[in-house]
Amino acid sequence: MTKTPIPLHVNDMTGFTRALTKQLGMTSPSHLTMMNMVARAAGFQNIQHMRAATAAAKRLAKPVQEDLADARKVERGLHQFDQYGLLLRWPSKRAVQDLALWAIWSALPANTSLSEQHVNALLISEHHFKDPATLRRTMICNGLLTRQKDGSDYRRIEQKPPIEAKMIIQTIAERRRTRPDNA
């Protein structure tokens, strides 16, 4: 006849061990020895191993809270774009430039080799001030784009954007969908 496993859950190991010690009476080992025995019976090396595993499980069970975005930075970044997601002007502040570049980075195709002419055409289609060279160079300096020394092969560098950049990318992507064909 097969046995049906019966689960055992103990809220407090110390109280459980004390109850066992009391039941065993004078023949029981010390409290620490008894706790180690119970931990080994549960599949751990000792009580310290059990505590460490339990603490790790609790840490992993907590949902990972993503950092909150700085709404003011996002707002400053979005002010640089029109209602169709086109960059109006080159921002004067470096932090705003970086956020604007992430939005343009998101418009470049991933894992694709591009010529300089193709990159320029894509960049021109994403801004009003018609200076793809500044955008291209700054994206390379910021590690968003890479190129061969002879300028023959450009590639978007895949990476995780900061939280503020993610929010801008999402908003600009929505605006891009509303673009008329001639924008």
Side-chain angles (χ1 to χ4, degrees):
M1 171 167 52
T2 60
K3 294 184 181 181
T4 305
I6 302 171
L8 173 67
H9 176 79
V10 178
N11 286 330
D12 180 24
M13 175 93 163
T14 303
F16 180 73
T17 306
R18 281 195 184 123
L20 281 176
T21 303
K22 189 175 180 182
Q23 290 288 319
L24 290 172
M26 298 299 280
T27 62
S28 81
S30 70
H31 181 68
L32 181 58
T33 303
M34 187 62 134
M35 287 184 69
N36 283 328
M37 290 170 66
V38 171
R40 280 191 297 275
F44 299 95
Q45 294 172 357
N46 54 33
I47 189 65
Q48 289 85 2
H49 180 221
M50 187 175 191
R51 282 186 181 137
T54 303
K58 283 182 183 178
R59 284 191 304 271
L60 292 174
K62 290 182 184 177
V64 177
Q65 183 177 354
E66 197 166 325
D67 294 334
L68 296 176
D70 183 344
R72 184 68 184 135
K73 282 184 183 179
V74 173
E75 187 177 57
R76 285 182 182 142
L78 289 173
H79 280 305
Q80 306 304 312
F81 293 87
D82 68 6
Q83 76 252 18
Y84 301 118
L86 295 171
L87 186 61
L88 295 167
R89 63 195 150 279
W90 186 236
S92 58
K93 297 197 183 250
R94 177 63 190 254
V96 181
Q97 289 174 6
D98 293 344
L99 290 174
L101 287 174
W102 277 106
I104 293 172
W105 170 87
S106 71
L108 298 174
N111 303 315
T112 305
S113 176
L114 305 168
S115 68
E116 185 172 330
Q117 294 78 18
H118 193 195
V119 171
N120 285 344
L122 288 167
L123 294 176
I124 285 172
S125 71
E126 293 298 321
H127 72 286
H128 284 293
F129 55 92
K130 306 299 179 211
D131 188 3
T134 297
L135 294 173
R136 195 179 63 241
R137 287 184 202 120
T138 311
M139 289 178 82
I140 290 168
C141 289
N142 284 8
L144 299 175
L145 192 63
T146 186
R147 74 175 179 100
Q148 296 293 323
K149 288 190 184 230
D150 64 357
S152 63
D153 180 40
Y154 287 81
R155 287 182 182 271
R156 179 175 111 166
I157 297 174
E158 297 306 311
Q159 55 193 300
K160 183 178 177 184
I163 186 73
E164 289 87 4
K166 281 183 186 177
M167 293 181 73
I168 288 176
I169 289 168
Q170 289 171 351
T171 304
I172 297 304
E174 291 170 12
R175 292 180 184 181
R176 281 183 186 129
R177 286 191 277 276
T178 66
R179 280 185 195 169
D181 291 334
N182 60 356

